[in-house]
Amino acid sequence: MKKVSLETVMLLSIAFLCSQNSFAQIPQQKPQITTSSDSSSVEDDIRRAEISSIPYNNLQQIFGYHDPILYLSPAPMFNSLSTRKIALQDGEGMNGYWLEGNISHRVTMYRGKYYSRPFWSRARITFDAAFMLRMTKDSSSPLLPTSNDVGLGLDYLLSDVNKIESPKATTVYLKAQIHHYSNGQALPFFKSTAPNRNNYKNGDFSTNYIRLMVYGMKQTSDNHIYSAGLGLQREVDLGGPLTLSDELASAYGLNRVLLNLQWTRRSRFVLTQLSDTDKKKFSKNPTGKTVRNARTQWIWRSELAYIIDNDLSLYPLSSKYRLGVHNYLTWMPWVTSDFGFVFHNYFCRDYLNIRYDDPIQTYQLGFVMNFNKMR
């Protein structure tokens, strides 16, 4: 009998071990397949996340209801509340105006969610930018120096976020803003004529303000929201390019009390029965129903500002026109659109930067856009 060499025995042993190893790697059972119960678990997690998000989404919507109103008004009507010492000249609006526009928006930089840290879940941080345009009917239809209002904002809920939709609860939140407000024009501030008057066409205007507002609101069972805001505004000099024009002292007013009143009728949605034709399109809808908008959104807002400075001796008129009032009525007729209509009324000092020395009254019908509108 032939001897088997040691090398052959080793080779056979290695082959045997390898074959056992390879067999050991073959699963003895069929691989597991994701079952319907796993799918249901994922759906449950998604549903829980959606439910948890509801109060926080409603909070962000309420913040948005009090944002500045972005509008364009063709052919706005302006009337002077006082006889001008120097009449408006060509390029200043002596023939009226083609257009006024408040291009304002608060861009959300941070939005609190249910999974955020407790402090930040109640917050919204924004970059705020607004540009006020006014086009005259004078020669070549020039634009007046724009109001450039840029800064940062913080909205913070002070009450219980889980009770924000409760008709019996009062929702309270804080709004804080720091802004630079100017027109970017060169000197001189005043027109070189007598009597003295601000230079409306190219006079420099620059200030900065800190604004603090506290809002309180209640919501009724039929989705009407009644709210009021009270606050203070202080003009400050931040130095460098963010200066406070010296000429504003004792004339413009450096301290203001603010009051905002608002009524909001939110859109209402209802379930409606699908027609037989539509049921075929929504074959996966087990209820045979769909959601439609049954009521459109209306907002009435009144913004009041009262100058509380004791010294306004350099304001050029005997009446100092301390109380300014903006009234807005907006209608958003289409839920799937950011577009709507606005009526705007104002009286007191002109709100276009350096023209604050000219008291006016205006009535406008125009178009409103709301890019933060929730659907």
Side-chain angles (χ1 to χ4, degrees), residues 284-304:
K284 294 183 179 180
N285 186 343
T287 63
K289 295 181 179 180
T290 187
V291 177
R292 71 174 179 85
N293 182 34
R295 191 175 69 183
T296 55
Q297 176 186 295
W298 288 85
I299 294 179
W300 170 79
R301 179 188 299 180
S302 186
E303 298 177 346
L304 299 86

Side-chain angles (χ1 to χ4, degrees), residues 149-212:
D149 193 344
V150 180
L152 298 174
L154 167 69
D155 298 321
Y156 190 80
L157 180 68
L158 301 176
S159 53
D160 189 348
V161 67
N162 294 307
K163 295 182 179 179
I164 200 167
E165 291 291 300
S166 173
K168 297 182 179 180
T170 299
T171 300
V172 181
Y173 81 89
L174 172 72
K175 177 190 287 184
Q177 293 173 297
I178 180 166
H179 281 205
H180 173 67
Y181 178 43
S182 70
N183 62 6
Q185 300 298 108
L187 298 173
F189 192 96
F190 297 108
K191 201 169 180 64
S192 56
T193 56
N196 200 25
R197 194 200 75 176
N198 291 359
N199 189 342
Y200 297 155
K201 290 180 68 175
N202 56 10
D204 180 68
F205 175 97
S206 177
T207 183
N208 315 276
Y209 63 83
I210 298 173
R211 178 183 295 170
L212 294 174

Side-chain angles (χ1 to χ4, degrees), residues 76-365:
M77 296 176 58
F78 284 86
N79 299 313
S80 180
L81 295 177
S82 176
T83 302
R84 291 184 174 92
K85 295 181 179 179
I86 301 177
L88 292 177
Q89 301 175 16
D90 187 47
E92 295 181 340
M94 69 176 186
N95 295 317
Y97 305 93
W98 288 115
L99 179 74
E100 178 174 284
N102 184 35
I103 314 303
S104 61
H105 187 54
R106 298 187 69 188
V107 180
T108 300
M109 300 171 62
Y110 175 84
R111 180 184 293 111
K113 290 291 187 179
Y114 72 93
Y115 48 80
S116 305
R117 292 182 181 273
F119 179 85
W120 294 109
S121 65
R122 300 163 171 261
R124 178 178 70 153
I125 300 174
T126 61
F127 173 75
D128 308 337
F131 306 95
M132 175 66 68
L133 310 174
R134 200 177 289 171
M135 178 184 286
T136 75
K137 291 183 178 179
D138 300 342
S139 302
S140 75
S141 300
L143 287 172
L144 299 179
T146 60
S147 290
N148 308 307
D149 193 344
V150 180
L152 298 174
L154 167 69
D155 298 321
Y156 190 80
L157 180 68
L158 301 176
S159 53
D160 189 348
V161 67
N162 294 307
K163 295 182 179 179
I164 200 167
E165 291 291 300
S166 173
K168 297 182 179 180
T170 299
T171 300
V172 181
Y173 81 89
L174 172 72
K175 177 190 287 184
Q177 293 173 297
I178 180 166
H179 281 205
H180 173 67
Y181 178 43
S182 70
N183 62 6
Q185 300 298 108
L187 298 173
F189 192 96
F190 297 108
K191 201 169 180 64
S192 56
T193 56
N196 200 25
R197 194 200 75 176
N198 291 359
N199 189 342
Y200 297 155
K201 290 180 68 175
N202 56 10
D204 180 68
F205 175 97
S206 177
T207 183
N208 315 276
Y209 63 83
I210 298 173
R211 178 183 295 170
L212 294 174
M213 295 281 296
V214 176
Y215 286 89
M217 65 199 73
K218 273 188 174 293
Q219 179 173 300
T220 64
S221 56
D222 58 348
N223 274 347
H224 290 251
I225 300 175
Y226 298 90
S227 60
L230 183 64
L232 294 171
Q233 178 174 310
R234 167 71 177 173
E235 311 296 317
V236 294
D237 191 334
L238 299 179
L242 306 179
T243 60
L244 173 63
S245 298
D246 294 336
E247 294 84 355
L248 298 181
S250 302
Y252 179 70
L254 304 184
N255 300 277
R256 286 167 170 77
V257 174
L258 307 176
L259 175 64
N260 286 9
L261 302 172
Q262 183 164 307
W263 162 74
T264 303
R265 191 187 80 167
R266 302 171 76 175
S267 299
R268 175 182 288 171
F269 298 89
V270 296
L271 281 174
T272 57
Q273 193 70 34
L274 291 173
S275 65
D276 291 337
T277 303
D278 289 337
K279 283 180 181 179
K280 296 177 182 178
K281 300 177 183 177
F282 299 96
S283 58
K284 294 183 179 180
N285 186 343
T287 63
K289 295 181 179 180
T290 187
V291 177
R292 71 174 179 85
N293 182 34
R295 191 175 69 183
T296 55
Q297 176 186 295
W298 288 85
I299 294 179
W300 170 79
R301 179 188 299 180
S302 186
E303 298 177 346
L304 299 86
Y306 185 81
I307 300 170
I308 59 176
D309 295 53
N310 291 325
D311 182 11
L312 293 177
S313 58
L314 297 184
Y315 187 76
L317 302 176
S318 56
S319 177
K320 302 308 177 183
Y321 293 95
R322 292 174 177 267
L323 178 63
V325 181
H326 285 275
N327 294 305
Y328 301 94
L329 180 64
T330 66
W331 176 41
M332 305 294 286
W334 302 288
V335 175
T336 56
S337 173
D338 296 321
F339 181 84
F341 303 95
V342 62
F343 168 76
H344 176 209
N345 162 249
Y346 171 83
F347 66 91
C348 199
R349 301 177 175 196
D350 198 333
Y351 47 88
L352 189 66
N353 55 67
I354 203 168
R355 298 172 70 110
Y356 71 88
D357 64 329
D358 183 22
I360 59 161
Q361 184 167 7
T362 180
Y363 296 92
Q364 306 177 19
L365 285 173

